[in-house]
Amino acid sequence: MFNVLKSSRRMLLMATGVMALAAPAVAADTLTVVTFGGSFESAVDKAFFVPFTAKTGTNIVKEDYDGGLAKLRGMVEAGNTTWDLIDMETNDAIAGCDEGLLQKLDPKLLGDTSDFIPGAVLPCAVASMVWSTIYAYDTTRLTTAPTTIGDFFDVTKFPGKRGMRKSPKVALEWALIADGVPVKDVYKVLGTPEGLDRAFKKLSTIKSQVVFWDAGAQAAQLLADGAVSMTMAYNGRIRVAQQQDKRPFAIVWDGQVYDYEWWAIPKGAKDTDAAKQFVSYASGPDTIWKLSNYIAYAPPRKSAVPQVDKAVLPYLPLAPDNFKNGLQIDAQFWADNFDSINNRFTTWLSQ
């Protein structure tokens, strides 16, 4: 009897083993993350995505986009959100939260929120870094070095095409600064009908010389190709071009418009738990600073700054020498006014 039971048990264990081998493995979580692509995505990949996958086993699928809420709004309204985590500009993070397109963020995911730079935590998003819009030029193509925002608009003294993002953001701020408005008064002026007219009038003085770009990677490429003599760009993209591609580019920091970048979880995300886990991981004080070593954007946690490689610090937007005439973008202004101003901008482009 004992032998029969022993034999039966052996057969059962063998059968169970065969079934275990035949059964499919439990699939790892897959996190679909949307970013602005290019060298920024490459830096995020090294600093956050690859280590997170190694730590958790979560597979990350990356998609590129150029900002805005239209596609996200369509997904949410259709009840078919295919993104789990989204990299956003500030005005989109504010408007997306107000419209109910984003999930509320649990502050417990972030640990000590007082460690973040003021304004770096929103109800639906947390800052991933501080970045800046600057302009850059090729030092081998200009005999005189430009130094101010006014020089960007001076096509007589500094001839050649200008590259600009196809957006009214920053373009209108720069137009006012170039027209003599002090940085501290830019949004006070831009918030009036007369100030908006003034900004468009100044922008029109170089319209025929502007090559507009959509994706951040295009700015450095336009400069490298000689299609423009100077271009609006994201500071980190130009620093990558200087370092990795050995491009003879120089950055003009005067009038830089700096902003936060944000992680947010869309409403209806199919893997919210994995998205929350990533936000907690990437926002941690032991992790968040690592991005700065791959691209020149600053960490938004106070305790993280000392951990950044000292050789990188002079190239960050918040470095004292770069910050003398900087302007923080008024995200609430753009959240409230982007659609109407962008409609006017689109009409202006077509005229």
Short mmCIF file of all heavy atoms in Angstrom, two decimals, residues 46 60 99 103 110 120 169 181 206 209 212 218 276-277:
data_model
loop_
_atom_site.label_atom_id
_atom_site.label_comp_id
_atom_site.label_asym_id
_atom_site.label_seq_id
_atom_site.Cartn_x
_atom_site.Cartn_y
_atom_site.Cartn_z
N LYS A 46 18.71 56.17 -19.54
CA LYS A 46 19.88 55.77 -18.76
C LYS A 46 19.69 56.04 -17.26
O LYS A 46 20.10 55.24 -16.42
CB LYS A 46 21.12 56.51 -19.26
CG LYS A 46 21.52 56.16 -20.68
CD LYS A 46 22.60 57.11 -21.19
CE LYS A 46 22.91 56.88 -22.65
NZ LYS A 46 23.82 57.91 -23.21
N ILE A 60 9.32 48.78 -20.11
CA ILE A 60 8.90 50.14 -20.45
C ILE A 60 8.84 50.29 -21.96
O ILE A 60 9.81 50.03 -22.67
CB ILE A 60 9.85 51.17 -19.84
CG1 ILE A 60 9.69 51.16 -18.31
CG2 ILE A 60 9.56 52.57 -20.39
CD1 ILE A 60 10.55 52.16 -17.58
N GLU A 99 -8.93 69.68 -16.01
CA GLU A 99 -9.92 69.05 -16.89
C GLU A 99 -10.24 67.61 -16.50
O GLU A 99 -11.09 66.98 -17.11
CB GLU A 99 -9.40 69.06 -18.34
CG GLU A 99 -9.34 70.41 -18.99
CD GLU A 99 -8.92 70.32 -20.45
OE1 GLU A 99 -9.35 69.36 -21.13
OE2 GLU A 99 -8.17 71.20 -20.92
N GLN A 103 -4.71 61.80 -13.07
CA GLN A 103 -5.04 61.31 -11.74
C GLN A 103 -4.40 62.18 -10.67
O GLN A 103 -3.32 62.72 -10.86
CB GLN A 103 -4.56 59.86 -11.58
CG GLN A 103 -5.17 58.88 -12.55
CD GLN A 103 -4.72 57.46 -12.30
OE1 GLN A 103 -4.40 57.07 -11.18
NE2 GLN A 103 -4.71 56.65 -13.36
N LEU A 110 6.15 60.45 -2.71
CA LEU A 110 7.30 61.31 -2.90
C LEU A 110 8.18 61.45 -1.67
O LEU A 110 9.23 62.08 -1.72
CB LEU A 110 6.83 62.71 -3.33
CG LEU A 110 5.86 62.74 -4.51
CD1 LEU A 110 5.42 64.17 -4.79
CD2 LEU A 110 6.50 62.12 -5.74
N ALA A 120 7.33 72.62 -7.07
CA ALA A 120 7.69 71.43 -7.85
C ALA A 120 6.76 70.24 -7.62
O ALA A 120 6.99 69.16 -8.18
CB ALA A 120 9.13 71.01 -7.55
N LYS A 169 4.48 80.13 -26.95
CA LYS A 169 5.20 80.15 -25.68
C LYS A 169 6.67 80.44 -25.90
O LYS A 169 7.29 79.87 -26.80
CB LYS A 169 5.04 78.81 -24.94
CG LYS A 169 3.66 78.58 -24.38
CD LYS A 169 3.63 77.44 -23.37
CE LYS A 169 4.03 76.12 -23.97
NZ LYS A 169 3.97 75.03 -22.97
N VAL A 181 10.87 95.41 -22.81
CA VAL A 181 10.12 95.14 -21.58
C VAL A 181 11.03 94.41 -20.58
O VAL A 181 11.61 93.38 -20.92
CB VAL A 181 8.87 94.28 -21.87
CG1 VAL A 181 8.14 93.93 -20.57
CG2 VAL A 181 7.93 95.02 -22.83
N ILE A 206 10.82 89.52 -37.66
CA ILE A 206 11.76 88.47 -38.11
C ILE A 206 11.03 87.27 -38.72
O ILE A 206 11.67 86.27 -39.05
CB ILE A 206 12.66 87.98 -36.96
CG1 ILE A 206 11.84 87.35 -35.82
CG2 ILE A 206 13.55 89.10 -36.45
CD1 ILE A 206 12.70 86.59 -34.81
N GLN A 209 12.38 85.43 -41.62
CA GLN A 209 13.68 84.79 -41.41
C GLN A 209 13.60 83.58 -40.48
O GLN A 209 14.63 83.00 -40.14
CB GLN A 209 14.65 85.81 -40.80
CG GLN A 209 14.93 87.01 -41.68
CD GLN A 209 15.60 86.61 -42.98
OE1 GLN A 209 16.58 85.87 -42.98
NE2 GLN A 209 15.07 87.08 -44.10
N PHE A 212 10.57 77.31 -38.45
CA PHE A 212 9.90 76.77 -37.27
C PHE A 212 10.14 75.27 -37.13
O PHE A 212 10.15 74.53 -38.12
CB PHE A 212 8.40 77.05 -37.33
CG PHE A 212 8.05 78.50 -37.14
CD1 PHE A 212 7.79 79.32 -38.23
CD2 PHE A 212 8.02 79.05 -35.86
CE1 PHE A 212 7.50 80.66 -38.06
CE2 PHE A 212 7.71 80.40 -35.68
CZ PHE A 212 7.45 81.20 -36.78
N GLN A 218 15.05 68.77 -33.45
CA GLN A 218 15.21 69.49 -34.71
C GLN A 218 16.03 70.76 -34.56
O GLN A 218 16.70 71.19 -35.50
CB GLN A 218 13.83 69.84 -35.29
CG GLN A 218 13.02 68.64 -35.75
CD GLN A 218 11.63 69.06 -36.19
OE1 GLN A 218 10.78 69.42 -35.37
NE2 GLN A 218 11.40 69.03 -37.49
N LYS A 276 2.74 54.48 -10.60
CA LYS A 276 3.00 55.05 -9.27
C LYS A 276 4.36 54.58 -8.74
O LYS A 276 5.11 55.36 -8.14
CB LYS A 276 1.89 54.64 -8.30
CG LYS A 276 0.56 55.31 -8.55
CD LYS A 276 -0.48 54.83 -7.55
CE LYS A 276 -1.81 55.53 -7.76
NZ LYS A 276 -2.85 55.03 -6.81
N GLN A 277 4.66 53.32 -8.97
CA GLN A 277 5.94 52.78 -8.52
C GLN A 277 7.10 53.51 -9.21
O GLN A 277 8.11 53.83 -8.58
CB GLN A 277 6.00 51.27 -8.79
CG GLN A 277 7.21 50.58 -8.19
CD GLN A 277 7.22 49.09 -8.47
OE1 GLN A 277 6.54 48.60 -9.38
NE2 GLN A 277 7.99 48.34 -7.69
#
